[in-house]
Amino acid sequence: MGRIVVTGGSGKAGGTVITELLEAGHTILNLDLMPMTHPAVHTLKTDLTDSGQVFNALAGQWSLSEPFPEGLPPRPDAVIHLAGYARNMLVPDNEAYRANTQGTYNIIDAACKLGIPKVILASSTAVYGVSFAQGDVNYPSFPIDEDQDVNPTDTYAIAKLCDERVARGFAARYGTDIYSLRIGHVFGPDEYNGDIFYGYVHEPHQWKVHGWSYTDARDLGGMCEAALRTSGLGYQVFNATNDTITNLMHTEEFLRSHYPETPITRRLEKFEAPLSNAKIKRLLGFQEQHPWRKYFTLWDKKPVAMRADGPVSST
Ligand SMILES: NC(=O)c1ccc[n+]([C@@H]2O[C@H](COP(=O)([O-])OP(=O)(O)OC[C@H]3O[C@@H](n4cnc5c(N)ncnc54)[C@H](O)[C@@H]3O)[C@@H](O)[C@H]2O)c1
């Protein structure tokens, strides 16, 4: 089992990912600006936008002890980098761009130069350019897979794409395995019966922005674990989504009836997620454990109070 540095472990996705990694037997160090209360995980308050802090944290001790163990601290086996602003409009655009690109650059740069063999990055399905577009934009084709050309126009997604490009360059130069996970909207275990999933099921035409696909936080932990298990793939980008479409229609029937102009480039499985996870299943052996139907209970339609400014969420 490995020694894994997680960044952003104090956040929404990070807490669940860490729980899954601990269950798989890994030792975790969390780098975050905010504390995390888990007895088995030390959080080192680290500002990832400061390269000196990042190098120091990745080369330092894993926990506080008196005295510290003899010898140099062990090198991490991998870094899972989740920290950053998780959408637009949390801070002004220039700050989101600065912090997200600088933090990710610093992690990749330090990991490669310190000889850490694997980095797993939180990218986003927002890079496909629909989630935070200016107005209504269509996907060029279905399924939305990793080969599709990406041309996002919003700051958050542009920064994620810059991060993917930095990762690709460093992986080629240093021979490091760097896997970018394009994560969909993340659902924690208790979130399947809130407004968003209700809307997915009963008002699916509203959810083109999420590509009628989602990411279970526990399964995201499973995807990270699958990425830790498989090595030697160099730079890779994976849609990190769950298996199935988020409404009740067969996928092809839904897409053909709502987007008749958009080409479908291959046969889709009956309920396959339009933001397809076929690649992460094929190359990393990921197997979904938490299909939404297991947790969703709001099968009957009821009037839903949407927010006045429309649905807004992270991707
Ligand atoms: N939540 C989603 O639906 C979603 C969807 C797609 C992609 N993602 C990506 O997944 C990752 C995690 O998302 P989340 O929802 O858990 O976000 P979150 O906001 O809940 O957690 C982010 C964490 O990063 C930390 N952080 C921010 N800036 C930092 C810095 N400079 N140095 C150290 N720590 C810093 C924060 O303190 C926080 O604990 C993000 O990269 C996000 O872009 C999230």
Side-chain angles (χ1 to χ4, degrees), residues 93-117:
D93 286 348
N94 66 313
E95 171 59 10
Y97 182 81
R98 181 197 72 82
N100 282 7
T101 55
Q102 189 68 65
T104 304
Y105 179 91
N106 289 345
I107 281 288
I108 294 170
D109 183 43
C112 288
K113 288 176 179 165
L114 291 169
I116 297 169

Side-chain angles (χ1 to χ4, degrees), residues 166-188:
V166 170
R168 184 169 138 186
F170 273 71
R173 189 179 182 95
Y174 289 90
T176 311
D177 280 341
I178 310 186
Y179 305 159
S180 291
L181 303 184
R182 289 180 178 167
I183 302 167
H185 183 77
V186 174
F187 286 85

